[in-house]
Amino acid sequence: MSLIKQWRDIAYSDTADKGELKKLWADYFEYEKGVYKEILKKPGKAISGTVKELAERFELNILTMAGILDGMNDSLKKPNPLDELTEDTKVSMGIDKEKLYKNMVAAGADWLYELPEWEDVLDEERRKELYREQKLSATVVKGEKTYPNDPCTCASGKKYKKCCGRN
C-alpha cells in the first residue's frame, strides 16, 4: 500500500477518535510550518531525496512526510508520483513560489501564507496581488436575471417569454 493511501486512511478516518484526529492535525500543522520555513529560506533550490531521507532531514515520521508531500504536490514545478510513494521513492520539493502562495490562501492556511519567510521571497505588494487574485478566482458572479418581458437574449426582437423562455 502506498504511503499516501496510508496517510489519507489515518488523517481522514471517519472511525478514528475525534480527539486523536484533532491532535494529529494540530501536530501536522506545526510540522508543516517548520518544513515550509525551511523551504522558503532557499525558494529557488529544490530540496530532494527519498521520502525517508526527507523525513529524517525534517525530523518527521514517514507518514507525516507523505502528508506534507501530498499537501504541497499541486504547488510544485514538477509534481511527485504520489500514488506510487514508498520510503525509497525519490521526490523533489521544487516549489512554484506564486502557485504555493495562492494555494495556501485557497486552503485558508494563514499560519503558512503569513510566515515572515515570505518577505524575502515575494514583496508585500506581490503577495497582496496574489491574495486578491486567489480570492477573486473563488468568487461566483451571477449574471443579470432575464425576466419574461425582457427582450430575448438571442436578439430576435421578441420578448423572452415568447422566444427562448418557452418551456
Side-chain angles (χ1 to χ4, degrees):
M1 181 185 315
S2 84
L3 291 175
I4 290 300
K5 172 110 173 69
Q6 291 176 52
W7 163 254
R8 290 175 182 166
D9 286 350
I10 293 168
Y12 302 105
S13 173
D14 291 332
T15 58
D17 176 69
K18 300 296 181 206
E20 288 179 25
L21 209 51
K22 189 174 182 178
K23 181 176 178 356
L24 173 115
W25 280 106
D27 291 345
Y28 172 84
F29 293 141
E30 282 304 309
Y31 298 140
E32 181 184 43
K33 195 170 167 181
V35 170
Y36 280 116
K37 281 183 175 187
E38 191 67 30
I39 289 171
L40 292 173
K41 286 180 185 174
K42 296 180 184 173
K45 185 176 185 258
I47 298 172
S48 59
T50 65
V51 176
K52 185 177 182 177
E53 290 168 348
L54 292 176
E56 289 169 359
R57 176 179 178 166
F58 292 110
E59 298 177 4
L60 304 171
N61 69 47
I62 297 287
L63 289 180
T64 302
M65 189 70 233
I68 288 173
L69 290 168
D70 186 20
M72 72 170 40
N73 212 43
D74 290 339
S75 303
L76 301 176
K77 291 177 183 173
K78 183 180 178 219
N80 291 307
L82 295 182
D83 293 334
E84 306 150 17
L85 212 60
T86 67
E87 289 183 4
D88 300 320
T89 305
K90 282 209 167 258
V91 293
S92 175
M93 298 184 343
I95 60 166
D96 177 325
K97 299 176 286 199
E98 292 188 356
K99 198 173 185 182
L100 176 62
Y101 190 82
K102 287 172 93 172
N103 286 341
M104 288 175 171
V105 170
D110 56 346
W111 65 94
L112 296 176
Y113 67 78
E114 291 179 355
L115 286 171
E117 285 77 5
W118 276 110
E119 294 169 13
D120 296 331
V121 178
L122 298 168
D123 63 51
E124 184 178 359
E125 188 174 317
R126 185 64 183 144
R127 290 193 315 270
K128 284 181 180 178
E129 192 177 311
L130 291 170
Y131 182 92
R132 203 170 19 259
E133 282 177 23
Q134 179 54 44
K135 290 297 186 179
L136 287 174
S137 74
T139 303
V140 176
V141 179
K142 290 184 178 179
E144 281 191 41
K145 181 170 172 47
T146 304
Y147 293 94
N149 288 326
D150 288 346
C152 191
T153 54
C154 74
S156 66
K158 297 179 183 178
K159 288 185 179 184
Y160 180 71
K161 68 182 178 186
K162 298 280 187 181
C163 189
C164 295
R166 280 192 231 178
N167 292 337

